[in-house]
Amino acid sequence: MPRLEHGRLLTIATAILEGAGAPRTHAAIVADHLVTSNLQGHDSHGILRLSQYCEAIEQKEVDPRARPTVRKESVAGAVLDGQRGFGQVAAREAMVLAMERARLVGVSAVTLSNCYHSGRLSAYSLMASQAGMIGVVMVNAGGGGQSVAPFGGLARRLATNPIAIAVPSGGDYDPVLDVATSMAPEGKIRDYFRRGEPVPDGWIVDAHGFPTRHAKDFYGPPAGALLPWGGPVGHKGYGLALMIDVMAGALSGAGCCGPAQVPPRDGVLLLAIDVEQYTDSEWFRAQVVQLIDHVKSCPPAPGYEEVFVPGELEHREAQKRRRTGIPVDDTTWEEMHSLARRFRLPPEMFDAAHDGWASAAAQIVDHAST
Ligand SMILES: NC(=O)c1ccc[n+]([C@@H]2O[C@H](COP(=O)([O-])OP(=O)(O)OC[C@H]3O[C@@H](n4cnc5c(N)ncnc54)[C@H](O)[C@@H]3O)[C@@H](O)[C@H]2O)c1
């Protein structure tokens, strides 16, 4: 299994997406999102998605050139249409808009519909926290992607409807909770399936509602289902998923889950709350730091070494992987080479000597966010 410096991975991923038809700015934004997921240890949302995204471009499920348009706006928010483009490009623009409005009126809610996979939601909530705001992001799949059984049920009725909340701390990292409301996102089941390993206990059931650890029972046929987050108290994850379906799906115009089998198109709700307009931001940050220190001072329970704060493990993993590189599984590595051949990309781009491209890609992402 190769291990690559993250900048080189960013170079290769940007070139592949550009080869597939994305303009350089969009390619760099999406590649940056995927590689950051790898850096933070969430490989299921990282560059293994490249082949899926390229396939989606080819199948015209996503328009790689699209930018979101404004359908409606008010003082405190806006309704955006993603124009079938990359979720990462549209959600980033939506959060920039929400932050601008929150700076003016204290709080802003922007919705977005009609876009492809939005990836890891913390990418957008952290944009707000890094600007001194609280960022909240929720996503449904517009009635598609139904893979989760409601609590007490055995068949698929909901998508994995994630939520991310980030708060500014002024420290090395901002606390950010970023979770699916199911026991795991579908991508993690796909990862176990690819590796031929058993799925952790309590995540999925087969088509008859019986617990199973075989990923193939989830995919079928006949298809099983993911369970809502919470195990024996799964009514909590299920209830949250239901409310997110309404807030992200109905409010954005993407639509909620229903009997029709529709292709997934993300519906997104992005909230930004400007802390300074509610309370002294220094005091707020000090409160967050006090809370972090307080929970981390708790003695670890048997079997645990330390208490962590949401976002801390990803921060540590990113620091480590920046030093030691990102492991790329053999299947993904092979797929990347095959995509590069298909798009007639220079084979030298896989060489470390061409790391200069990486800083160019990073500059494009920086430029896009200004
Ligand atoms: N866009 C989509 O359609 C979609 C759908 C589902 C999930 N997702 C993404 O999938 C990703 C993974 O979701 P998941 O449900 O597998 O998350 P997860 O179970 O890996 O949990 C991650 C969250 O829990 C925190 N955490 C983990 N271990 C911790 C510990 N020991 N102590 C304290 N906090 C801890 C992390 O910091 C993070 O905030 C998320 O980024 C989510 O946005 C996206």
Side-chain angles (χ1 to χ4, degrees), residues 42 45 117-121 160 162 176-180 185 188 266 308 310-311 313-314:
H42 287 271
H45 284 71
H117 189 231
S118 47
R120 293 197 68 228
L121 306 193
T160 55
V176 54
L177 177 72
D178 181 11
V179 287
K188 286 193 180 166
D266 280 4
F308 293 106
L313 285 167
E314 285 81 0

mmCIF file with all atom_site columns, all heavy atoms in Angstrom, residues 42 45 117-121 160 162 176-180 185 188 266 308 310-311 313-314, ligand 1:
data_model
loop_
_atom_site.group_PDB
_atom_site.id
_atom_site.type_symbol
_atom_site.label_atom_id
_atom_site.label_alt_id
_atom_site.label_comp_id
_atom_site.label_asym_id
_atom_site.label_entity_id
_atom_site.label_seq_id
_atom_site.pdbx_PDB_ins_code
_atom_site.Cartn_x
_atom_site.Cartn_y
_atom_site.Cartn_z
_atom_site.occupancy
_atom_site.B_iso_or_equiv
_atom_site.pdbx_formal_charge
_atom_site.auth_seq_id
_atom_site.auth_comp_id
_atom_site.auth_asym_id
_atom_site.auth_atom_id
_atom_site.pdbx_PDB_model_num
ATOM   1   N N   . HIS A 1 42  ? -10.529 10.187 7.618  1.00 0.00 ? 42  HIS A N   1
ATOM   2   C CA  . HIS A 1 42  ? -11.817 9.691  7.112  1.00 0.00 ? 42  HIS A CA  1
ATOM   3   C C   . HIS A 1 42  ? -11.649 9.245  5.662  1.00 0.00 ? 42  HIS A C   1
ATOM   4   O O   . HIS A 1 42  ? -12.111 9.898  4.722  1.00 0.00 ? 42  HIS A O   1
ATOM   5   C CB  . HIS A 1 42  ? -12.902 10.765 7.264  1.00 0.00 ? 42  HIS A CB  1
ATOM   6   C CG  . HIS A 1 42  ? -13.335 10.957 8.671  1.00 0.00 ? 42  HIS A CG  1
ATOM   7   N ND1 . HIS A 1 42  ? -14.365 10.236 9.248  1.00 0.00 ? 42  HIS A ND1 1
ATOM   8   C CD2 . HIS A 1 42  ? -12.849 11.747 9.654  1.00 0.00 ? 42  HIS A CD2 1
ATOM   9   C CE1 . HIS A 1 42  ? -14.504 10.592 10.513 1.00 0.00 ? 42  HIS A CE1 1
ATOM   10  N NE2 . HIS A 1 42  ? -13.606 11.511 10.796 1.00 0.00 ? 42  HIS A NE2 1
ATOM   11  N N   . HIS A 1 45  ? -14.348 9.057  2.885  1.00 0.00 ? 45  HIS A N   1
ATOM   12  C CA  . HIS A 1 45  ? -14.788 10.264 2.176  1.00 0.00 ? 45  HIS A CA  1
ATOM   13  C C   . HIS A 1 45  ? -13.629 10.928 1.437  1.00 0.00 ? 45  HIS A C   1
ATOM   14  O O   . HIS A 1 45  ? -13.696 12.094 1.072  1.00 0.00 ? 45  HIS A O   1
ATOM   15  C CB  . HIS A 1 45  ? -15.434 11.249 3.157  1.00 0.00 ? 45  HIS A CB  1
ATOM   16  C CG  . HIS A 1 45  ? -16.817 10.824 3.533  1.00 0.00 ? 45  HIS A CG  1
ATOM   17  N ND1 . HIS A 1 45  ? -17.042 9.735  4.340  1.00 0.00 ? 45  HIS A ND1 1
ATOM   18  C CD2 . HIS A 1 45  ? -18.032 11.301 3.192  1.00 0.00 ? 45  HIS A CD2 1
ATOM   19  C CE1 . HIS A 1 45  ? -18.342 9.582  4.474  1.00 0.00 ? 45  HIS A CE1 1
ATOM   20  N NE2 . HIS A 1 45  ? -18.964 10.509 3.798  1.00 0.00 ? 45  HIS A NE2 1
ATOM   21  N N   . HIS A 1 117 ? -23.060 14.823 -4.315 1.00 0.00 ? 117 HIS A N   1
ATOM   22  C CA  . HIS A 1 117 ? -22.547 14.500 -2.973 1.00 0.00 ? 117 HIS A CA  1
ATOM   23  C C   . HIS A 1 117 ? -21.779 15.660 -2.309 1.00 0.00 ? 117 HIS A C   1
ATOM   24  O O   . HIS A 1 117 ? -20.825 16.193 -2.888 1.00 0.00 ? 117 HIS A O   1
ATOM   25  C CB  . HIS A 1 117 ? -21.607 13.289 -3.123 1.00 0.00 ? 117 HIS A CB  1
ATOM   26  C CG  . HIS A 1 117 ? -21.158 12.706 -1.832 1.00 0.00 ? 117 HIS A CG  1
ATOM   27  N ND1 . HIS A 1 117 ? -19.841 12.463 -1.548 1.00 0.00 ? 117 HIS A ND1 1
ATOM   28  C CD2 . HIS A 1 117 ? -21.844 12.341 -0.733 1.00 0.00 ? 117 HIS A CD2 1
ATOM   29  C CE1 . HIS A 1 117 ? -19.733 11.944 -0.347 1.00 0.00 ? 117 HIS A CE1 1
ATOM   30  N NE2 . HIS A 1 117 ? -20.939 11.859 0.171  1.00 0.00 ? 117 HIS A NE2 1
ATOM   31  N N   . SER A 1 118 ? -22.189 16.019 -1.091 1.00 0.00 ? 118 SER A N   1
ATOM   32  C CA  . SER A 1 118 ? -21.557 17.177 -0.428 1.00 0.00 ? 118 SER A CA  1
ATOM   33  C C   . SER A 1 118 ? -20.362 16.786 0.436  1.00 0.00 ? 118 SER A C   1
ATOM   34  O O   . SER A 1 118 ? -19.684 17.654 0.976  1.00 0.00 ? 118 SER A O   1
ATOM   35  C CB  . SER A 1 118 ? -22.599 17.907 0.421  1.00 0.00 ? 118 SER A CB  1
ATOM   36  O OG  . SER A 1 118 ? -23.317 16.975 1.195  1.00 0.00 ? 118 SER A OG  1
ATOM   37  N N   . GLY A 1 119 ? -20.111 15.478 0.591  1.00 0.00 ? 119 GLY A N   1
ATOM   38  C CA  . GLY A 1 119 ? -18.902 15.034 1.306  1.00 0.00 ? 119 GLY A CA  1
ATOM   39  C C   . GLY A 1 119 ? -18.988 15.222 2.810  1.00 0.00 ? 119 GLY A C   1
ATOM   40  O O   . GLY A 1 119 ? -20.045 15.019 3.404  1.00 0.00 ? 119 GLY A O   1
ATOM   41  N N   . ARG A 1 120 ? -17.867 15.622 3.411  1.00 0.00 ? 120 ARG A N   1
ATOM   42  C CA  . ARG A 1 120 ? -17.815 15.780 4.874  1.00 0.00 ? 120 ARG A CA  1
ATOM   43  C C   . ARG A 1 120 ? -18.296 17.177 5.265  1.00 0.00 ? 120 ARG A C   1
ATOM   44  O O   . ARG A 1 120 ? -17.721 18.179 4.847  1.00 0.00 ? 120 ARG A O   1
ATOM   45  C CB  . ARG A 1 120 ? -16.390 15.560 5.393  1.00 0.00 ? 120 ARG A CB  1
ATOM   46  C CG  . ARG A 1 120 ? -15.931 14.131 5.231  1.00 0.00 ? 120 ARG A CG  1
ATOM   47  C CD  . ARG A 1 120 ? -14.738 13.850 6.096  1.00 0.00 ? 120 ARG A CD  1
ATOM   48  N NE  . ARG A 1 120 ? -15.116 13.877 7.493  1.00 0.00 ? 120 ARG A NE  1
ATOM   49  C CZ  . ARG A 1 120 ? -14.484 14.528 8.449  1.00 0.00 ? 120 ARG A CZ  1
ATOM   50  N NH1 . ARG A 1 120 ? -13.419 15.242 8.165  1.00 0.00 ? 120 ARG A NH1 1
ATOM   51  N NH2 . ARG A 1 120 ? -14.899 14.464 9.687  1.00 0.00 ? 120 ARG A NH2 1
ATOM   52  N N   . LEU A 1 121 ? -19.319 17.216 6.098  1.00 0.00 ? 121 LEU A N   1
ATOM   53  C CA  . LEU A 1 121 ? -19.959 18.500 6.395  1.00 0.00 ? 121 LEU A CA  1
ATOM   54  C C   . LEU A 1 121 ? -19.091 19.419 7.245  1.00 0.00 ? 121 LEU A C   1
ATOM   55  O O   . LEU A 1 121 ? -19.266 20.637 7.236  1.00 0.00 ? 121 LEU A O   1
ATOM   56  C CB  . LEU A 1 121 ? -21.303 18.274 7.095  1.00 0.00 ? 121 LEU A CB  1
ATOM   57  C CG  . LEU A 1 121 ? -22.282 17.359 6.366  1.00 0.00 ? 121 LEU A CG  1
ATOM   58  C CD1 . LEU A 1 121 ? -23.658 17.470 7.002  1.00 0.00 ? 121 LEU A CD1 1
ATOM   59  C CD2 . LEU A 1 121 ? -22.346 17.687 4.900  1.00 0.00 ? 121 LEU A CD2 1
ATOM   60  N N   . THR A 1 160 ? -28.705 8.760  5.226  1.00 0.00 ? 160 THR A N   1
ATOM   61  C CA  . THR A 1 160 ? -27.867 8.787  6.441  1.00 0.00 ? 160 THR A CA  1
ATOM   62  C C   . THR A 1 160 ? -27.790 10.185 7.069  1.00 0.00 ? 160 THR A C   1
ATOM   63  O O   . THR A 1 160 ? -27.081 10.376 8.067  1.00 0.00 ? 160 THR A O   1
ATOM   64  C CB  . THR A 1 160 ? -26.441 8.279  6.130  1.00 0.00 ? 160 THR A CB  1
ATOM   65  O OG1 . THR A 1 160 ? -25.903 9.056  5.061  1.00 0.00 ? 160 THR A OG1 1
ATOM   66  C CG2 . THR A 1 160 ? -26.432 6.820  5.736  1.00 0.00 ? 160 THR A CG2 1
ATOM   67  N N   . PRO A 1 162 ? -26.575 13.461 7.656  1.00 0.00 ? 162 PRO A N   1
ATOM   68  C CA  . PRO A 1 162 ? -25.578 13.905 8.644  1.00 0.00 ? 162 PRO A CA  1
ATOM   69  C C   . PRO A 1 162 ? -25.795 15.334 9.136  1.00 0.00 ? 162 PRO A C   1
ATOM   70  O O   . PRO A 1 162 ? -26.524 16.115 8.513  1.00 0.00 ? 162 PRO A O   1
ATOM   71  C CB  . PRO A 1 162 ? -24.272 13.831 7.853  1.00 0.00 ? 162 PRO A CB  1
ATOM   72  C CG  . PRO A 1 162 ? -24.689 14.072 6.442  1.00 0.00 ? 162 PRO A CG  1
ATOM   73  C CD  . PRO A 1 162 ? -26.077 13.530 6.279  1.00 0.00 ? 162 PRO A CD  1
ATOM   74  N N   . VAL A 1 176 ? -15.547 20.284 16.627 1.00 0.00 ? 176 VAL A N   1
ATOM   75  C CA  . VAL A 1 176 ? -16.537 20.083 15.562 1.00 0.00 ? 176 VAL A CA  1
ATOM   76  C C   . VAL A 1 176 ? -17.089 18.665 15.657 1.00 0.00 ? 176 VAL A C   1
ATOM   77  O O   . VAL A 1 176 ? -16.335 17.695 15.647 1.00 0.00 ? 176 VAL A O   1
ATOM   78  C CB  . VAL A 1 176 ? -15.941 20.384 14.155 1.00 0.00 ? 176 VAL A CB  1
ATOM   79  C CG1 . VAL A 1 176 ? -14.671 19.605 13.864 1.00 0.00 ? 176 VAL A CG1 1
ATOM   80  C CG2 . VAL A 1 176 ? -16.972 20.130 13.063 1.00 0.00 ? 176 VAL A CG2 1
ATOM   81  N N   . LEU A 1 177 ? -18.394 18.605 15.798 1.00 0.00 ? 177 LEU A N   1
ATOM   82  C CA  . LEU A 1 177 ? -19.060 17.301 15.766 1.00 0.00 ? 177 LEU A CA  1
ATOM   83  C C   . LEU A 1 177 ? -19.584 17.110 14.354 1.00 0.00 ? 177 LEU A C   1
ATOM   84  O O   . LEU A 1 177 ? -20.296 17.979 13.842 1.00 0.00 ? 177 LEU A O   1
ATOM   85  C CB  . LEU A 1 177 ? -20.221 17.244 16.771 1.00 0.00 ? 177 LEU A CB  1
ATOM   86  C CG  . LEU A 1 177 ? -20.995 15.923 16.725 1.00 0.00 ? 177 LEU A CG  1
ATOM   87  C CD1 . LEU A 1 177 ? -20.166 14.789 17.320 1.00 0.00 ? 177 LEU A CD1 1
ATOM   88  C CD2 . LEU A 1 177 ? -22.329 16.024 17.438 1.00 0.00 ? 177 LEU A CD2 1
ATOM   89  N N   . ASP A 1 178 ? -19.237 16.023 13.718 1.00 0.00 ? 178 ASP A N   1
ATOM   90  C CA  . ASP A 1 178 ? -19.627 15.796 12.324 1.00 0.00 ? 178 ASP A CA  1
ATOM   91  C C   . ASP A 1 178 ? -20.005 14.326 12.170 1.00 0.00 ? 178 ASP A C   1
ATOM   92  O O   . ASP A 1 178 ? -19.120 13.471 12.040 1.00 0.00 ? 178 ASP A O   1
ATOM   93  C CB  . ASP A 1 178 ? -18.446 16.157 11.406 1.00 0.00 ? 178 ASP A CB  1
ATOM   94  C CG  . ASP A 1 178 ? -18.784 15.963 9.938  1.00 0.00 ? 178 ASP A CG  1
ATOM   95  O OD1 . ASP A 1 178 ? -19.966 15.756 9.612  1.00 0.00 ? 178 ASP A OD1 1
ATOM   96  O OD2 . ASP A 1 178 ? -17.858 16.024 9.107  1.00 0.00 ? 178 ASP A OD2 1
ATOM   97  N N   . VAL A 1 179 ? -21.302 14.040 12.215 1.00 0.00 ? 179 VAL A N   1
ATOM   98  C CA  . VAL A 1 179 ? -21.732 12.633 12.224 1.00 0.00 ? 179 VAL A CA  1
ATOM   99  C C   . VAL A 1 179 ? -22.936 12.374 11.329 1.00 0.00 ? 179 VAL A C   1
ATOM   100 O O   . VAL A 1 179 ? -23.799 13.236 11.153 1.00 0.00 ? 179 VAL A O   1
ATOM   101 C CB  . VAL A 1 179 ? -22.134 12.181 13.659 1.00 0.00 ? 179 VAL A CB  1
ATOM   102 C CG1 . VAL A 1 179 ? -20.924 12.000 14.547 1.00 0.00 ? 179 VAL A CG1 1
ATOM   103 C CG2 . VAL A 1 179 ? -23.133 13.134 14.292 1.00 0.00 ? 179 VAL A CG2 1
ATOM   104 N N   . ALA A 1 180 ? -22.986 11.154 10.802 1.00 0.00 ? 180 ALA A N   1
ATOM   105 C CA  . ALA A 1 180 ? -24.209 10.667 10.159 1.00 0.00 ? 180 ALA A CA  1
ATOM   106 C C   . ALA A 1 180 ? -25.186 10.337 11.287 1.00 0.00 ? 180 ALA A C   1
ATOM   107 O O   . ALA A 1 180 ? -24.766 10.070 12.420 1.00 0.00 ? 180 ALA A O   1
ATOM   108 C CB  . ALA A 1 180 ? -23.898 9.412  9.352  1.00 0.00 ? 180 ALA A CB  1
ATOM   109 N N   . PRO A 1 185 ? -21.967 6.084  7.886  1.00 0.00 ? 185 PRO A N   1
ATOM   110 C CA  . PRO A 1 185 ? -22.363 6.444  6.521  1.00 0.00 ? 185 PRO A CA  1
ATOM   111 C C   . PRO A 1 185 ? -22.227 5.222  5.613  1.00 0.00 ? 185 PRO A C   1
ATOM   112 O O   . PRO A 1 185 ? -21.458 4.296  5.922  1.00 0.00 ? 185 PRO A O   1
ATOM   113 C CB  . PRO A 1 185 ? -21.347 7.522  6.122  1.00 0.00 ? 185 PRO A CB  1
ATOM   114 C CG  . PRO A 1 185 ? -20.368 7.631  7.216  1.00 0.00 ? 185 PRO A CG  1
ATOM   115 C CD  . PRO A 1 185 ? -20.690 6.661  8.297  1.00 0.00 ? 185 PRO A CD  1
ATOM   116 N N   . LYS A 1 188 ? -18.740 3.820  4.643  1.00 0.00 ? 188 LYS A N   1
ATOM   117 C CA  . LYS A 1 188 ? -17.960 2.946  5.530  1.00 0.00 ? 188 LYS A CA  1
ATOM   118 C C   . LYS A 1 188 ? -18.337 1.480  5.317  1.00 0.00 ? 188 LYS A C   1
ATOM   119 O O   . LYS A 1 188 ? -17.487 0.599  5.416  1.00 0.00 ? 188 LYS A O   1
ATOM   120 C CB  . LYS A 1 188 ? -18.153 3.367  6.994  1.00 0.00 ? 188 LYS A CB  1
ATOM   121 C CG  . LYS A 1 188 ? -17.406 4.653  7.310  1.00 0.00 ? 188 LYS A CG  1
ATOM   122 C CD  . LYS A 1 188 ? -17.287 4.971  8.783  1.00 0.00 ? 188 LYS A CD  1
ATOM   123 C CE  . LYS A 1 188 ? -16.517 6.288  8.944  1.00 0.00 ? 188 LYS A CE  1
ATOM   124 N NZ  . LYS A 1 188 ? -16.596 6.876  10.280 1.00 0.00 ? 188 LYS A NZ  1
ATOM   125 N N   . ASP A 1 266 ? -28.304 16.170 -3.149 1.00 0.00 ? 266 ASP A N   1
ATOM   126 C CA  . ASP A 1 266 ? -28.258 16.673 -1.787 1.00 0.00 ? 266 ASP A CA  1
ATOM   127 C C   . ASP A 1 266 ? -29.100 17.931 -1.571 1.00 0.00 ? 266 ASP A C   1
ATOM   128 O O   . ASP A 1 266 ? -29.134 18.837 -2.392 1.00 0.00 ? 266 ASP A O   1
ATOM   129 C CB  . ASP A 1 266 ? -26.811 16.950 -1.371 1.00 0.00 ? 266 ASP A CB  1
ATOM   130 C CG  . ASP A 1 266 ? -26.085 15.665 -0.971 1.00 0.00 ? 266 ASP A CG  1
ATOM   131 O OD1 . ASP A 1 266 ? -26.696 14.580 -1.106 1.00 0.00 ? 266 ASP A OD1 1
ATOM   132 O OD2 . ASP A 1 266 ? -24.935 15.724 -0.513 1.00 0.00 ? 266 ASP A OD2 1
ATOM   133 N N   . PHE A 1 308 ? -11.598 12.542 24.648 1.00 0.00 ? 308 PHE A N   1
ATOM   134 C CA  . PHE A 1 308 ? -11.356 13.438 23.508 1.00 0.00 ? 308 PHE A CA  1
ATOM   135 C C   . PHE A 1 308 ? -12.531 14.387 23.326 1.00 0.00 ? 308 PHE A C   1
ATOM   136 O O   . PHE A 1 308 ? -13.660 14.094 23.736 1.00 0.00 ? 308 PHE A O   1
ATOM   137 C CB  . PHE A 1 308 ? -11.182 12.629 22.213 1.00 0.00 ? 308 PHE A CB  1
ATOM   138 C CG  . PHE A 1 308 ? -9.937  11.785 22.216 1.00 0.00 ? 308 PHE A CG  1
ATOM   139 C CD1 . PHE A 1 308 ? -10.019 10.402 22.389 1.00 0.00 ? 308 PHE A CD1 1
ATOM   140 C CD2 . PHE A 1 308 ? -8.694  12.362 22.051 1.00 0.00 ? 308 PHE A CD2 1
ATOM   141 C CE1 . PHE A 1 308 ? -8.878  9.625  22.399 1.00 0.00 ? 308 PHE A CE1 1
ATOM   142 C CE2 . PHE A 1 308 ? -7.539  11.592 22.064 1.00 0.00 ? 308 PHE A CE2 1
ATOM   143 C CZ  . PHE A 1 308 ? -7.639  10.221 22.238 1.00 0.00 ? 308 PHE A CZ  1
ATOM   144 N N   . PRO A 1 310 ? -14.866 16.352 20.367 1.00 0.00 ? 310 PRO A N   1
ATOM   145 C CA  . PRO A 1 310 ? -15.146 16.196 18.936 1.00 0.00 ? 310 PRO A CA  1
ATOM   146 C C   . PRO A 1 310 ? -14.231 17.095 18.100 1.00 0.00 ? 310 PRO A C   1
ATOM   147 O O   . PRO A 1 310 ? -14.083 18.281 18.414 1.00 0.00 ? 310 PRO A O   1
ATOM   148 C CB  . PRO A 1 310 ? -16.612 16.638 18.807 1.00 0.00 ? 310 PRO A CB  1
ATOM   149 C CG  . PRO A 1 310 ? -17.193 16.462 20.175 1.00 0.00 ? 310 PRO A CG  1
ATOM   150 C CD  . PRO A 1 310 ? -16.068 16.645 21.153 1.00 0.00 ? 310 PRO A CD  1
ATOM   151 N N   . GLY A 1 311 ? -13.638 16.525 17.076 1.00 0.00 ? 311 GLY A N   1
ATOM   152 C CA  . GLY A 1 311 ? -12.728 17.293 16.210 1.00 0.00 ? 311 GLY A CA  1
ATOM   153 C C   . GLY A 1 311 ? -11.262 17.098 16.585 1.00 0.00 ? 311 GLY A C   1
ATOM   154 O O   . GLY A 1 311 ? -10.373 17.339 15.770 1.00 0.00 ? 311 GLY A O   1
ATOM   155 N N   . LEU A 1 313 ? -9.557  14.259 17.418 1.00 0.00 ? 313 LEU A N   1
ATOM   156 C CA  . LEU A 1 313 ? -8.881  13.112 16.790 1.00 0.00 ? 313 LEU A CA  1
ATOM   157 C C   . LEU A 1 313 ? -8.513  13.420 15.343 1.00 0.00 ? 313 LEU A C   1
ATOM   158 O O   . LEU A 1 313 ? -7.422  13.071 14.878 1.00 0.00 ? 313 LEU A O   1
ATOM   159 C CB  . LEU A 1 313 ? -9.782  11.874 16.858 1.00 0.00 ? 313 LEU A CB  1
ATOM   160 C CG  . LEU A 1 313 ? -9.870  11.231 18.246 1.00 0.00 ? 313 LEU A CG  1
ATOM   161 C CD1 . LEU A 1 313 ? -11.023 10.228 18.306 1.00 0.00 ? 313 LEU A CD1 1
ATOM   162 C CD2 . LEU A 1 313 ? -8.561  10.535 18.588 1.00 0.00 ? 313 LEU A CD2 1
ATOM   163 N N   . GLU A 1 314 ? -9.430  14.110 14.645 1.00 0.00 ? 314 GLU A N   1
ATOM   164 C CA  . GLU A 1 314 ? -9.157  14.470 13.244 1.00 0.00 ? 314 GLU A CA  1
ATOM   165 C C   . GLU A 1 314 ? -7.971  15.437 13.180 1.00 0.00 ? 314 GLU A C   1
ATOM   166 O O   . GLU A 1 314 ? -7.121  15.342 12.286 1.00 0.00 ? 314 GLU A O   1
ATOM   167 C CB  . GLU A 1 314 ? -10.393 15.123 12.600 1.00 0.00 ? 314 GLU A CB  1
ATOM   168 C CG  . GLU A 1 314 ? -11.515 14.164 12.253 1.00 0.00 ? 314 GLU A CG  1
ATOM   169 C CD  . GLU A 1 314 ? -12.406 13.786 13.422 1.00 0.00 ? 314 GLU A CD  1
ATOM   170 O OE1 . GLU A 1 314 ? -12.176 14.268 14.549 1.00 0.00 ? 314 GLU A OE1 1
ATOM   171 O OE2 . GLU A 1 314 ? -13.339 12.991 13.202 1.00 0.00 ? 314 GLU A OE2 1
HETATM 172 N N1  . LIG B 2 .   ? -22.637 14.239 2.525  1.00 0.00 ? 1   LIG B N1  1
HETATM 173 C C1  . LIG B 2 .   ? -23.273 13.140 2.851  1.00 0.00 ? 1   LIG B C1  1
HETATM 174 O O1  . LIG B 2 .   ? -24.219 12.758 2.186  1.00 0.00 ? 1   LIG B O1  1
HETATM 175 C C2  . LIG B 2 .   ? -22.867 12.372 4.069  1.00 0.00 ? 1   LIG B C2  1
HETATM 176 C C3  . LIG B 2 .   ? -23.706 11.371 4.574  1.00 0.00 ? 1   LIG B C3  1
HETATM 177 C C4  . LIG B 2 .   ? -23.312 10.715 5.737  1.00 0.00 ? 1   LIG B C4  1
HETATM 178 C C5  . LIG B 2 .   ? -22.110 11.015 6.355  1.00 0.00 ? 1   LIG B C5  1
HETATM 179 N N2  . LIG B 2 .   ? -21.311 11.963 5.824  1.00 0.00 ? 1   LIG B N2  1
HETATM 180 C C6  . LIG B 2 .   ? -20.016 12.293 6.458  1.00 0.00 ? 1   LIG B C6  1
HETATM 181 O O2  . LIG B 2 .   ? -19.404 11.105 6.923  1.00 0.00 ? 1   LIG B O2  1
HETATM 182 C C7  . LIG B 2 .   ? -18.451 11.448 7.912  1.00 0.00 ? 1   LIG B C7  1
HETATM 183 C C8  . LIG B 2 .   ? -18.339 10.375 8.969  1.00 0.00 ? 1   LIG B C8  1
HETATM 184 O O3  . LIG B 2 .   ? -19.571 10.217 9.670  1.00 0.00 ? 1   LIG B O3  1
HETATM 185 P P1  . LIG B 2 .   ? -19.667 9.142  10.867 1.00 0.00 ? 1   LIG B P1  1
HETATM 186 O O4  . LIG B 2 .   ? -21.079 9.071  11.303 1.00 0.00 ? 1   LIG B O4  1
HETATM 187 O O5  . LIG B 2 .   ? -18.987 7.878  10.455 1.00 0.00 ? 1   LIG B O5  1
HETATM 188 O O6  . LIG B 2 .   ? -18.792 9.837  11.979 1.00 0.00 ? 1   LIG B O6  1
HETATM 189 P P2  . LIG B 2 .   ? -17.872 9.131  13.095 1.00 0.00 ? 1   LIG B P2  1
HETATM 190 O O7  . LIG B 2 .   ? -18.625 8.018  13.746 1.00 0.00 ? 1   LIG B O7  1
HETATM 191 O O8  . LIG B 2 .   ? -16.538 8.844  12.490 1.00 0.00 ? 1   LIG B O8  1
HETATM 192 O O9  . LIG B 2 .   ? -17.757 10.313 14.160 1.00 0.00 ? 1   LIG B O9  1
HETATM 193 C C9  . LIG B 2 .   ? -17.029 11.457 13.828 1.00 0.00 ? 1   LIG B C9  1
HETATM 194 C C10 . LIG B 2 .   ? -17.310 12.541 14.842 1.00 0.00 ? 1   LIG B C10 1
HETATM 195 O O10 . LIG B 2 .   ? -17.218 12.044 16.173 1.00 0.00 ? 1   LIG B O10 1
HETATM 196 C C11 . LIG B 2 .   ? -16.079 12.614 16.817 1.00 0.00 ? 1   LIG B C11 1
HETATM 197 N N3  . LIG B 2 .   ? -15.411 11.562 17.592 1.00 0.00 ? 1   LIG B N3  1
HETATM 198 C C12 . LIG B 2 .   ? -14.960 10.374 17.135 1.00 0.00 ? 1   LIG B C12 1
HETATM 199 N N4  . LIG B 2 .   ? -14.420 9.652  18.122 1.00 0.00 ? 1   LIG B N4  1
HETATM 200 C C13 . LIG B 2 .   ? -14.521 10.425 19.247 1.00 0.00 ? 1   LIG B C13 1
HETATM 201 C C14 . LIG B 2 .   ? -14.142 10.234 20.609 1.00 0.00 ? 1   LIG B C14 1
HETATM 202 N N5  . LIG B 2 .   ? -13.538 9.117  21.012 1.00 0.00 ? 1   LIG B N5  1
HETATM 203 N N6  . LIG B 2 .   ? -14.396 11.226 21.477 1.00 0.00 ? 1   LIG B N6  1
HETATM 204 C C15 . LIG B 2 .   ? -14.991 12.360 21.079 1.00 0.00 ? 1   LIG B C15 1
HETATM 205 N N7  . LIG B 2 .   ? -15.392 12.604 19.812 1.00 0.00 ? 1   LIG B N7  1
HETATM 206 C C16 . LIG B 2 .   ? -15.156 11.633 18.900 1.00 0.00 ? 1   LIG B C16 1
HETATM 207 C C17 . LIG B 2 .   ? -15.214 13.127 15.704 1.00 0.00 ? 1   LIG B C17 1
HETATM 208 O O11 . LIG B 2 .   ? -14.359 14.178 16.140 1.00 0.00 ? 1   LIG B O11 1
HETATM 209 C C18 . LIG B 2 .   ? -16.265 13.620 14.717 1.00 0.00 ? 1   LIG B C18 1
HETATM 210 O O12 . LIG B 2 .   ? -16.822 14.853 15.063 1.00 0.00 ? 1   LIG B O12 1
HETATM 211 C C19 . LIG B 2 .   ? -18.880 12.820 8.416  1.00 0.00 ? 1   LIG B C19 1
HETATM 212 O O13 . LIG B 2 .   ? -17.869 13.721 8.012  1.00 0.00 ? 1   LIG B O13 1
HETATM 213 C C20 . LIG B 2 .   ? -20.179 13.129 7.684  1.00 0.00 ? 1   LIG B C20 1
HETATM 214 O O14 . LIG B 2 .   ? -20.336 14.509 7.348  1.00 0.00 ? 1   LIG B O14 1
HETATM 215 C C21 . LIG B 2 .   ? -21.668 12.660 4.703  1.00 0.00 ? 1   LIG B C21 1
#
